[in-house]
Amino acid sequence: MAAKYIVGIDLGTTNSVVAYVPLDAERPSVQVLPIPQIVAQGTTEGRTMLPSFLYLATGQEIQSGVYDLPWRTRCEFAVGEFARRQAAEVPHRTVSGAKSWLAHSRVDRRQAVLPWNAPDDVPKVSPVVASQRCLEHLIGAWEAAFPDAPMADQRVVLTVPASFDASARELTREAAMAAGLPETLVLLEEPQAAVYAWLADVGDRWRRQLKLGDRLLVCDVGGGTTDLTLVGVAEEHGELILERIAVGNHLLVGGDNMDMALAHRLAGLFAEKGVQLDPWQSVALWHSCRAAKEALLAPGGPEKHTISVLGRGSRLIGGTVSVEIDRQIVANLLVEGFFPFTEVSERPARRRASGFREIGLPFETDTAITRHLAAFLAAHGEPARPVRPTHVLFNGGVFKSEMLRQRLLEVIGRWFPAEAMPRPLTGAPDLDHAVARGAACYGWVKEHGGMRIRGGTARAYYVGIETAGPAVPGAPRPLRALCVVPFGMEEGTETEVPSEEIGLVVGEPAQFRFFSSSTRKHDKPGDLLDAWTDDDLQETDSMETALPSDEQIDEDYVPVRFHSKVTELGMLELWCVSTKTQGRWKLEFSVREDAE
């Protein structure tokens, strides 16, 4: 069946959104899909955002059908608003942050490990499967609304954080394929999607806001993560073009931290009134804090806001318990706690409460987003000269608050006092839906033509090469890192990696180590690093496997050179090519095909 729509999917850490535009539309006039979801047992409502939470039902709940949907019965799980509420009340049966787990290379993301630390009698799923379940829900909602346009036949653009390395992108694609998205699926970085939404809103007028040499900071602070990207304005054949020039790390700090901080403060106020909140009331408080935050920080917001939770116990049934909080307290708590004035030389604190910590998601110790931003601008500038953004595009629900937007601009302005304060881009106010809308716009531009953001790979990639030499008891051999993919390698291109012959271990188990860097922008394929810091290179998925032997070579290793390719869909392929025979082995971060 021929495609009828271009579909943009924002698989968010906290919320997911689907947007679409007819394939034959003359301009990208994008619509957002209402998504039916369970909001309470037996109650379904359609909402434009699907909370990315997965609740694993009990046997009794499955049999009762309380989580059944129009497109699925005997549901073993619930995705959406009800699942988010269960995250606080029944955390050991609820999966949250599955997308961040996809980027966490210290766990096997294909193994059933979530909910993390849940009791043995609770069923578990892998981060890949949890993401798959969320996507299945989105597909079900789409096909219920458009039964004559199956999702597998549409042109689909799925967004990922700019900070995702090749492994996390491949795992996202794996979940998408398992859910039923088409093989032609395209992955797009979320900050780029936000820019495409802005471009669709302002049209050709974008050139009035940006000029040659400008640097646009896309600051995306969502519910669970912060994503930073720099886009530069360059010139080609006399026309202005946009180029993605830097991406930040995957930072686990966002709006949920703010809501939790406010809830923690309010729980203290309830305690002062002699009310100790139970888990059920804490859920209600958490949700109330989100609404209170947005109301109090909005322009012209009230000076005070009353927060109530339903009473519990025989004396309070039908009643409520309330406390009042004023605007200044919230401003001090959230603005100063998450966007404090800092020096551009400051860096995020790495302090720990203990030398021991649970193994889990690497949440940021330092909640000051401004310090993380300072580190990002320094990492992508010249020595002692951080990059200065000329413009800022805000994205993510946190920036619904003008107070937070203005504070970030003021912080950057203080960092560069001799320069003008960065200007916010105007024209894309839909912060909740911008990423999904931008993904659909990108798909339309690919089909019909228009402004494209140049980017290529957001990282350079390296393989670890063990050095030759005498062994030392108790010490591993030194490791070198060979660059096989440079920063910014464009989709649809490939390259031979110049190097001496490398011995590829075959016929026996061996560990293969891979590294990436978002800051080493000048390394070329074939460059060999003898030493590096953790800030320079980060180890990504390493793997231990036994590659098949080459029947023509009676040795435990084969001399090879590397050939790297970035596909049209943005996936990375790395081949080990024998210099003595016709043997080829695909040994990479994302193995989707058998080695030849």
Side-chain angles (χ1 to χ4, degrees):
M1 186 181 295
K4 296 181 179 180
Y5 296 93
I6 297 167
V7 182
I9 299 177
D10 173 13
L11 180 62
T13 307
T14 305
N15 291 291
S16 296
V17 180
V18 176
Y20 61 95
V21 59
L23 187 60
D24 59 0
E26 294 184 0
R27 61 183 301 273
S29 181
V30 179
Q31 303 296 315
V32 176
L33 179 73
I35 304 168
Q37 56 196 278
I38 305 295
V39 297
Q41 285 194 352
T43 303
T44 302
E45 292 181 4
R47 300 183 178 182
T48 59
M49 294 193 295
L50 177 77
S52 305
F53 290 74
L54 175 68
Y55 170 69
L56 304 173
T58 64
Q60 182 178 359
E61 290 171 328
I62 296 169
Q63 292 300 318
S64 67
V66 293
Y67 305 130
D68 288 358
L69 294 162
W71 58 87
R72 188 183 182 112
T73 58
R74 297 291 181 183
C75 289
E76 300 175 355
F77 53 86
V79 179
E81 179 59 35
F82 177 74
R84 174 162 60 184
R85 292 177 179 275
Q86 295 294 83
E89 190 164 356
V90 195
H92 62 280
R93 299 194 74 90
T94 310
V95 177
S96 61
K99 188 170 78 170
S100 292
W101 283 98
L102 289 179
H104 190 28
S105 61
R106 295 186 180 181
V107 299
D108 186 341
R109 291 156 285 181
R110 292 186 177 91
Q111 290 298 311
V113 296
L114 302 178
W116 190 254
N117 288 335
D120 292 339
D121 61 343
V122 173
K124 296 183 179 65
V125 297
S126 70
V128 172
V129 168
S131 301
Q132 173 188 336
R133 297 289 182 243
C134 187
L135 288 169
E136 287 173 345
H137 189 111
L138 299 177
I139 293 171
W142 170 266
E143 295 184 346
F146 297 96
D148 60 341
M151 184 70 85
D153 295 328
Q154 309 314 306
R155 307 282 176 82
V156 179
V157 179
L158 177 64
T159 63
V160 293
S163 54
F164 265 23
D165 63 14
S167 299
R169 290 170 193 244
E170 171 58 20
L171 290 166
T172 302
R173 180 179 173 82
E174 184 178 312
M177 295 298 97
L181 292 180
E183 288 282 345
T184 55
L185 169 78
V186 174
L187 299 182
L188 176 68
E189 294 172 10
E190 291 162 7
Q192 287 195 47
V195 176
Y196 279 108
W198 173 73
L199 288 171
D201 283 347
V202 301
D204 290 338
R205 300 192 310 277
W206 75 268
R207 293 178 176 86
R208 300 176 189 174
Q209 295 195 48
L210 297 174
K211 66 180 186 301
L212 183 64
D214 282 346
R215 290 175 296 276
L216 168 63
L217 168 67
V218 185
C219 190
D220 184 350
V221 184
T225 60
T226 292
D227 212 355
L228 304 171
T229 288
L230 279 172
V231 175
V233 183
E235 187 177 46
E236 185 175 83
H237 307 305
E239 292 287 331
L240 292 181
I241 61 171
L242 299 176
E243 295 181 314
R244 192 258 287 114
I245 56 178
V247 299
N249 295 324
H250 194 65
L251 302 174
L252 293 182
V253 60
D256 289 345
N257 299 73
M258 299 181 186
D259 299 335
M260 291 175 66
L262 185 54
H264 179 75
R265 177 63 180 266
L266 288 169
L269 296 181
F270 278 108
E272 290 175 6
K273 299 179 70 170
V275 177
Q276 298 296 328
L277 301 181
D278 64 19
W280 187 91
Q281 291 169 313
S282 295
V283 177
L285 178 61
W286 181 38
H287 287 283
S288 298
C289 285
R290 186 179 304 112
K293 173 188 69 180
E294 294 176 359
L296 288 167
L297 297 185
E303 289 301 317
K304 294 183 180 295
H305 187 91
T306 300
I307 293 182
S308 303
V309 295
L310 289 175
R312 305 285 278 179
S314 59
R315 291 186 303 163
L316 296 172
I317 291 178
T320 60
V321 184
S322 303
V323 296
E324 193 173 64
I325 189 167
D326 65 62
R327 177 187 179 94
Q328 195 58 47
I329 289 177
V330 173
N332 291 340
L333 181 66
L334 302 185
V335 177
E336 301 304 332
F338 292 87
F339 293 90
F341 285 113
T342 65
E343 299 296 329
V344 72
S345 58
E346 289 187 43
R347 297 294 175 263
R350 301 298 182 191
R351 62 187 181 278
R352 301 290 183 191
S354 170
F356 300 101
R357 61 169 296 179
E358 291 182 341
I359 302 299
L361 285 177
F363 292 101
E364 296 301 324
T365 303
D366 194 332
T367 60
I369 292 171
T370 45
R371 275 193 283 271
H372 292 286
L373 176 58
F376 169 71
L377 297 179
H380 296 282
E382 301 297 329
R385 188 179 178 186
V387 176
R388 184 184 75 86
T390 59
H391 296 75
V392 178
L393 177 62
F394 295 105
N395 194 54
V398 164
F399 286 122
K400 290 178 182 178
S401 165
E402 182 180 347
M403 187 180 297
L404 297 182
R405 296 196 303 270
Q406 187 61 33
R407 168 55 70 90
L408 187 68
L409 294 174
E410 291 174 359
V411 170
I412 299 174
R414 290 191 181 192
W415 288 344
F416 305 97
E419 307 287 348
M421 183 180 293
R423 295 188 293 277
L425 295 186
T426 58
D430 188 6
L431 297 174
D432 287 329
H433 308 121
V435 169
R437 290 178 55 248
C441 293
Y442 169 77
W444 187 91
V445 168
K446 276 178 62 71
E447 190 70 27
H448 296 274
M451 172 57 64
R452 296 273 297 274
I453 302 170
R454 306 284 181 84
T457 57
R459 293 171 174 267
Y461 290 94
Y462 307 77
V463 295
I465 308 295
E466 182 181 302
T467 58
V472 176
R477 293 184 191 274
L479 200 68
R480 292 177 175 174
L482 177 69
C483 180
V484 293
V485 173
F487 181 94
M489 185 170 171
E490 294 287 346
E491 290 85 355
T493 63
E494 52 191 290
T495 185
E496 302 289 345
V497 180
S499 71
E500 300 294 327
E501 291 181 340
I502 304 296
L504 175 68
V505 177
V506 296
E508 64 180 69
Q511 185 183 38
F512 300 93
R513 297 177 66 183
F514 304 106
F515 302 83
S516 71
S517 174
S518 62
T519 57
R520 297 187 66 94
K521 300 178 184 177
H522 303 297
D523 288 347
K524 303 181 297 296
D527 285 355
L528 195 61
L529 309 184
D530 292 318
W532 58 87
T533 68
D534 290 341
D535 290 332
D536 281 336
L537 264 61
Q538 296 83 46
E539 187 160 4
T540 182
D541 275 4
S542 295
M543 60 184 298
E544 186 167 335
T545 188
L547 297 177
S549 300
D550 189 324
E551 295 180 356
Q552 301 180 49
I553 296 180
D554 188 22
E555 297 284 350
D556 59 359
Y557 69 90
V558 176
V560 299
R561 290 192 176 93
F562 297 107
H563 181 91
S564 56
K565 176 182 179 181
V566 179
T567 71
E568 291 287 354
L569 300 182
M571 307 309 295
L572 176 62
E573 295 182 357
L574 179 65
W575 290 90
C576 308
V577 182
S578 172
T579 60
K580 305 297 184 184
T581 68
Q582 297 300 309
R584 288 163 53 90
W585 293 263
K586 193 177 183 184
L587 206 173
E588 51 166 335
F589 318 92
S590 51
V591 180
R592 294 204 309 273
E593 303 169 4
D594 293 331
E596 297 178 354

